[in-house]
Every structure is written in structure tokens, then in C-alpha cells.
Amino acid sequence: MLNERFIFFSHCWPRSGKIFLEKMALSRENFRQKVDKVKQSVDIKDVIESTGARAVSGNASKGEYLYHAPYRRDDKASLKINTLEQVFVDYSNKDELSGDVLELTRLIFGKGDKNAMPFFKAVEWLERFSGTSVAPRAIQPAQRRAAGRVRTSNGERFVFVKATPVSSKTHPANLDYISGTRKISLRVASRYLHVVTYRDTDAEFEDKMNGFRYGIGSKNDNGGWEIRAASQNSDFKMSLLAKGITTYPGHPMATIGHLFNGQFDYLTRLEIVGENQPFHPSIVTNSDSLVVEAAKAIKRNPDLKEIKVWHVHQDNDDSGMRSTQAFCDELGEGYEVYTLNPLWDGFKDLNKCWTDAPADRISKLKSELTGIVQARPKFYDTSATAEHRRFQDKQRDDRFNKPEF
């Protein structure tokens, strides 16, 4: 019926009707681009955890995490997300709710009724979402503070207490995580990592540590802390205070910059190339959702805006590819972006290859990373069309995969 009205309009007033339809088509195309962009740049895990929800179980290699649905009563934790495909499924609903990050956002704001939040409003909110914005607080009983537990006036569950630089006096369990699990030397770790003390306000009064917790963290550009609460049973990751990217300035003569998803990938590269501090400027995004912010920082930072070549140490998954594409799109024309993930093919990221690969593979990785300038990585020409970019990728993949390489 709607199409018939527009056709009638164009027949009655040919000139104005044609212009109207052209504008409408253009508007729809722009909106589709907006939708595609937020789906590529916003991580579904970051959105659900902005409500305060935390995964009750997960399988990082499969990208699967289970949560209590934050938009309704859910005692059994029946909402599963997949970060590789960026989708969710709510198994407890008899209609089996499912969808992407946009549908989840509408459910969260609508408290289970996605129709309560218009589709375009969800797109607008996700455009502003940077990892610091928060959705409405999770409402299910399993995540409410029970009576008799520690409370704070600001309502935050985790409260920052202090941060102490990593040193030889750091608790052996933390040192073992850094040097044993992550294979980062004290020489490098002491320059960048801290033992962060924070308090869990949901801890029981009988908690032996009185709610105090300890994690390995690094400071970001906004003054917040990116924490890994490492232990034998958990590798819980979160942000304390403000979330943001972390920028490390390089030498004034540097002509190449490096982009990392996580702090330990950054530290791994320093270990491999034998640097205590980077010769090339480096940015750690601390989240796939902050790659756009990283690109904006490059263009506005006087120490970075002249760096026109960037090497991206992305994860070997769909999320890594999407975030790299978002980084390229935001940089725009005039930049060359190379991805180095073929060098750790078969592993999730650079640090995982560093810690788990056999000795001969590690030796090869060292040789490639220390000798690489602009050869072999995949290339993203930010001024190229998507079709041309795929053609370029195939050419470079063919060269990279030669038997003699």
C-alpha cells in the first residue's frame, strides 16, 4: 500500500515526485550504510556487559558465552552470545529470541520488548557506543545485590583501590601469570604492567579477602585501567574507571605505526623485537569496539597524524577482520593499512602463538616480525573499492602462501 501511494504521487507531480523518490532512495542507502557500520564496529559482548551482566561460562576459542538475560528475570542463565558471528540466542523464551547486536540492544532498552525501542534509535545509540556508554542496568535477580552484601554509594560492583608497578616483589602467582602463562619478561612487564587492587562490592561478608581482588592491568589514555583478573581458574577481563585506548609514542623519525587489540599482544611484540619501549608509535585499542576511536586519535594527534602506514596485529577471527575494516573506513583516504595476522595463522592472536607454538614456529615468527617492513602482510587500501580490496588481498595471499616462503 505504501508503494502504491508513492507511485501515485510521482504520477500526479512528475518532477517533484521523482526528486522525492530519489531522496528517499538515497536516505535508505545511507541508513543501510549506518546499520552495516555499527554491526561491524560494535562488539555484542561489550554491549551486553555494559549493562553490568557478566558471563557465567564461556568458550573463548568458539566465541561462545552464556549470560543471564539482562532485560528480564532469568535465573537459569539462558542467553548465549557468539562473538565470532556477533549473534545471540535466548533459549528460555518459547519463541526462542535471536538476532544480532541491534536486536539485543532493542531488547535491553525495551526490557524484553524490542518494539519499545525503534530500530533507528538502536542504530543511533550504537553509533555513540564506545565501550564507555552503558545500557540500562541488568534487571534479573541473579545479578541484583543480595541483602547482607557489601554496597557502595555509586552503585559500581568493582571499585578501584590502588595500582602497584610489577616488580620482582610482586606476588608469585601474578608473576607466574605474566612470565609463565604469557611469557613476558620482568624487564618488559615492569615498564607497562601493574598489580591492580580493587574491591568486589558483591562479595559476601564472610569473604576471606573482605571483597578485595587483585589483577594485572595497564592504564589507558582516559585514566582508567584495563584489567585481567588472572588466576588458575579464570582470565576475567574488565575495565575499571573510564575505558579507552592506550597510546605509546614512538621515535620522532618513525614512519610506521602499530595497532594492537590487547595489551599482551603489544608486550609480545616488544619481547620479539627486543625493545623496552617502541621505536614505532603503538596503539592498544583494548576492545574491538574502540578501533574507530583509535583511528580518530591518529588523525587528531600531532605526533601520529603524519604516520601514514599502519600495521594491524589483529586477531584471527571475524571480529578481528571487522574491526580492521572499521579502522580503515574511519582513517579514510591517504593511509596504508597492513594486517600481520597471517604470521600467526592457526592461533587466535600474536600472544597465543608466542606462548603455544612449537620452537621452530617461534623462531620463524621472530625472524618475520623483526625483518618485516611492508612485505607479505595483507593490504587494505582505504581509498579502494571493496571489490578491488578483495582482489588485492588475494594477490597478497597467493604470494604469502608460496611453498618457498
Side-chain angles (χ1 to χ4, degrees):
M1 193 65 175
L2 186 62
N3 290 336
E4 291 175 0
R5 289 179 60 194
F6 284 135
I7 292 170
F8 175 76
F9 181 82
S10 64
H11 281 306
C12 292
W13 294 277
R15 177 177 173 78
S16 60
K18 183 179 179 182
I19 293 172
F20 178 82
L21 288 171
E22 288 175 350
K23 288 183 177 179
M24 182 180 174
L26 179 62
S27 176
R28 283 179 174 174
E29 181 62 28
N30 288 341
F31 186 69
R32 278 196 294 267
Q33 291 175 358
K34 284 176 176 284
V35 171
D36 291 341
K37 188 171 183 178
V38 297
K39 286 183 179 181
Q40 291 172 358
S41 60
V42 180
D43 192 292
I44 195 170
K45 191 171 189 288
D46 289 338
V47 170
I48 191 171
E49 294 196 347
S50 73
T51 69
R54 294 293 180 263
V56 298
S57 64
N59 186 325
S61 63
K62 293 183 178 180
E64 295 179 348
Y65 299 88
L66 188 66
Y67 292 84
H68 295 278
Y71 45 79
R72 61 171 177 78
R73 296 176 63 91
D74 183 17
D75 296 319
K76 296 183 179 179
S78 49
L79 186 142
K80 180 186 286 187
I81 68 168
N82 187 304
T83 58
L84 303 183
E85 299 178 7
Q86 290 294 300
V87 295
F88 76 93
V89 177
D90 186 345
Y91 291 107
S92 73
N93 190 290
K94 61 182 178 181
D95 297 324
E96 195 171 282
L97 294 172
S98 62
D100 55 26
V101 67
L102 276 162
E103 296 302 295
L104 180 61
T105 300
R106 295 176 70 193
L107 285 169
I108 290 171
F109 277 85
K111 296 182 179 179
D113 178 11
K114 71 176 183 179
N115 294 321
M117 184 184 210
F119 188 84
F120 75 92
K121 286 290 186 184
V123 174
E124 288 180 354
W125 187 81
L126 288 170
E127 282 184 312
R128 298 191 300 270
F129 182 75
S130 64
T132 57
S133 302
V134 293
R137 181 177 292 278
I139 62 174
Q140 73 281 359
Q143 291 184 336
R144 291 194 189 125
R145 294 185 181 89
R149 294 189 177 186
V150 180
R151 296 175 181 268
T152 58
S153 58
N154 63 7
E156 295 292 333
R157 175 178 175 182
F158 300 110
V159 179
F160 175 80
V161 177
K162 67 176 182 178
T164 306
V166 167
S167 71
S168 58
K169 297 181 181 179
T170 295
H171 192 283
N174 289 325
L175 286 179
D176 181 63
Y177 175 76
I178 295 168
S179 60
T181 303
R182 293 290 190 162
K183 293 187 179 179
I184 304 299
S185 67
L186 187 59
R187 167 185 62 85
V188 172
S190 61
R191 300 178 68 93
Y192 298 98
L193 297 180
H194 290 70
V195 176
V196 180
T197 305
Y198 59 99
R199 198 174 188 194
D200 182 355
T201 63
D202 267 1
E204 302 284 353
F205 278 123
E206 295 79 9
D207 183 77
K208 294 180 180 180
M209 300 177 68
N210 197 29
F212 287 101
R213 305 287 184 262
Y214 305 90
I216 305 300
S218 56
K219 204 166 190 178
N220 62 44
D221 292 355
N222 292 331
W225 291 90
E226 306 297 332
I227 308 295
R228 282 190 175 273
S231 73
Q232 291 181 345
N233 303 315
S234 172
D235 195 13
F236 178 56
K237 183 168 66 173
M238 66 173 178
S239 300
L240 279 176
L241 306 177
K243 190 170 182 62
I245 64 172
T246 306
T247 305
Y248 298 104
H251 192 279
M253 298 299 291
T255 58
I256 295 173
H258 294 280
L259 187 78
F260 302 86
N261 174 267
Q263 183 74 15
F264 280 98
D265 284 341
Y266 166 70
L267 298 179
T268 298
R269 186 182 183 279
L270 292 183
E271 284 287 344
I272 290 174
V273 301
E275 295 178 347
N276 287 336
Q277 58 189 41
F279 178 83
H280 303 288
S282 300
I283 297 177
V284 181
T285 64
N286 296 310
S287 170
D288 284 338
S289 65
L290 295 184
V291 292
V292 172
E293 177 57 34
K296 290 179 179 178
I298 289 169
K299 291 187 286 187
R300 68 171 177 257
N301 188 326
D303 295 328
L304 298 177
K305 65 181 181 181
E306 297 305 319
I307 303 295
K308 301 299 183 181
V309 178
W310 286 86
H311 287 181
V312 179
H313 300 66
Q314 73 178 37
D315 290 358
N316 272 318
D317 55 24
D318 289 342
S319 180
M321 183 64 74
R322 283 195 302 269
S323 64
T324 302
Q325 186 61 63
F327 178 68
C328 293
D329 292 342
E330 183 61 36
L331 279 181
E333 296 185 6
Y335 291 85
E336 295 179 359
V337 179
Y338 295 78
T339 61
L340 305 190
N341 60 303
L343 299 181
W344 46 91
D345 186 45
F347 296 89
K348 182 181 182 296
D349 54 34
L350 175 58
N351 181 256
K352 197 65 176 173
C353 182
W354 175 241
T355 59
D356 293 3
D360 59 338
R361 180 72 184 272
I362 295 296
S363 178
K364 183 178 180 181
L365 179 67
K366 286 183 177 180
S367 175
E368 289 167 338
L369 274 184
T370 53
I372 198 166
V373 181
Q374 292 182 17
R376 300 190 184 105
K378 278 186 162 183
F379 170 69
Y380 285 78
D381 178 356
T382 56
S383 63
T385 64
E387 183 178 357
H388 182 55
R389 193 176 296 142
R390 286 193 293 270
F391 175 72
Q392 290 175 320
D393 287 347
K394 186 177 186 309
Q395 285 185 316
R396 286 162 178 80
D397 279 346
D398 290 344
R399 288 204 297 271
F400 180 81
N401 292 321
K402 283 184 178 180
E404 64 267 21
F405 175 70

